[in-house]
Amino acid sequence: MKKGDFVIYYSSKEYFDKKDKCQEFTAIGQVKSNDIYPFEMTPEFCPFRIEIDFLESKDISILPLIDELDFIPNKQKWGYPFRWGTLQIGKHDFQLISKLMLYGQEN
């Protein structure tokens, strides 16, 4: 990610340390700078962060969108693309998700 890029967050679970499913896109924003820094959440967990300007949005479920999303080639195993934590999606998918999150409408 670099300054100016947009990001959409997908949350598979409601809480980091629990198994309750969320399966929603939960945040959208734009990368503010190219600076990446460590952020200690616990002594055993110190992920890296980048500053994001978050936009006001609503959470949307991925479930009704699976068949329309190009970044999910195998609709039966739709969670597989998320295994690495970050992925780049195409313009079609970004527009579909962002319109629903920002404006609550399709197309």
Side-chain angles (χ1 to χ4, degrees):
M1 289 179 269
K2 63 185 181 312
K3 183 178 180 179
D5 286 347
F6 282 90
V7 294
I8 297 174
Y9 286 80
Y10 172 76
S11 300
S12 61
K13 300 187 296 183
E14 288 285 335
Y15 302 98
F16 183 70
D17 58 349
K18 297 183 181 176
K19 294 185 180 186
D20 300 337
K21 291 180 183 178
C22 180
Q23 298 178 328
E24 294 182 341
F25 295 104
T26 55
I28 185 170
Q30 190 171 27
V31 178
K32 287 172 62 170
S33 75
N34 292 322
D35 299 329
I36 298 171
Y37 59 93
F39 183 83
E40 185 175 308
M41 294 182 74
T42 70
E44 297 83 28
F45 185 58
C46 185
F48 285 85
R49 297 232 170 133
I50 192 167
E51 293 294 324
I52 306 290
D53 272 329
F54 289 100
L55 304 173
E56 188 174 326
S57 65
K58 69 176 193 167
D59 298 352
I60 61 161
S61 173
I62 191 173
L63 300 178
L65 303 179
I66 291 170
D67 287 338
E68 296 180 63
L69 294 170
D70 294 336
F71 77 87
I72 301 175
N74 183 341
K75 307 308 182 186
Q76 298 299 317
K77 297 182 181 183
W78 62 267
Y80 192 72
F82 296 106
R83 71 195 182 283
W84 304 115
T86 60
L87 62 119
Q88 185 172 353
I89 64 173
K91 184 176 180 178
H92 166 268
D93 290 350
F94 178 82
Q95 288 180 337
L96 174 64
I97 298 164
S98 65
K99 282 183 180 180
L100 290 170
M101 291 183 78
L102 298 172
Y103 310 111
Q105 57 185 302
E106 292 188 48
N107 301 337

